[in-house]
Amino acid sequence: MTFRPLRAVTVLAAAAALSVTASTVSTAHAASAASTHASQGTDRRTPRIVSAWADAWNGTDPRALGALFTADGTYTDEAVAVTFRGRKEISGWKARADSLIADVHVTVRATRVEGDRVTVRAVYSGHLKGAPRPFAVPMTTVLDLDAHHCRIESDQDHYSLATVLSQSGLPADWTPPAG
């Protein structure tokens, strides 16, 4: 795991809950067909790998998210400047997010498929434990897929941590409790 400030590691879980995955990798295989049909432009259908990713974030099994990635896949949460490598670390990130954020939810609004890259516009929402209010912020995720579009090689989540904290009623320098 690499990160900028140590504060990012603590805050990362608050922001990290944004990712999502599917319960089965075989479901993700169907992403190949959806991605192939939408080689450029905005796809009217959500590629299955994206649905699986969202389902994993919205679900309760952290391993479901990790299972969507290649063995050496990376997950980067740009808001908290942290990167996780491999299925085990990615699953751990989801578990940490679930421990810090109640009702973590990702709602996919639009996708754009270009070759092996899928750009996802979504809403990331939840309730930081101990915060007075829940949050719901726009997020953009860039997924780079393997050649068969069955697994994620790289995930980069982009959203505003400042907005998450503000909507939650927390100060800009808030960090989650250790644990």
Side-chain angles (χ1 to χ4, degrees):
M1 156 173 62
T2 59
F3 52 90
R4 285 183 219 155
L6 182 55
R7 174 183 177 270
V9 171
T10 9
V11 177
L12 74 93
L18 175 56
S19 297
V20 238
T21 59
S23 57
T24 64
V25 175
S26 61
T27 301
H29 250 300
S32 178
S35 295
T36 301
H37 291 32
S39 62
Q40 290 194 356
T42 301
D43 188 4
R44 294 200 186 319
R45 300 162 304 172
T46 300
R48 292 204 179 160
I49 191 75
V50 173
S51 296
W53 170 85
D55 289 347
W57 269 109
N58 297 339
T60 58
D61 181 2
R63 294 171 297 177
L65 183 61
L68 295 177
F69 286 77
T70 59
D72 60 347
T74 61
Y75 180 100
T76 302
D77 187 317
E78 298 289 350
V80 293
V82 65
T83 297
F84 297 92
R85 289 177 175 74
R87 294 178 183 134
K88 185 175 180 179
E89 284 187 13
I90 293 166
S91 296
W93 175 241
K94 165 66 169 138
R96 174 84 170 135
D98 287 348
S99 75
L100 294 173
I101 305 169
D103 304 319
V104 170
H105 196 81
V106 173
T107 304
V108 174
R109 295 293 187 208
T111 60
R112 180 177 178 87
V113 180
E114 295 182 71
D116 295 335
R117 176 167 282 176
V118 181
T119 303
V120 182
R121 286 191 359 221
V123 174
Y124 169 43
S125 62
H127 194 144
L128 291 167
K129 293 182 180 172
R133 297 183 304 270
F135 67 88
V137 299
M139 173 178 79
T140 300
T141 296
V142 177
L143 302 173
D144 288 321
L145 307 178
D146 67 359
H148 301 290
H149 298 182
C150 296
R151 299 219 187 226
I152 301 167
E153 290 181 346
S154 171
D155 174 315
Q156 296 176 359
D157 289 348
H158 304 267
Y159 60 94
S160 170
L161 178 58
T163 304
V164 168
L165 295 175
S166 174
Q167 286 184 10
S168 296
L170 297 169
D173 63 348
W174 178 85
T175 57

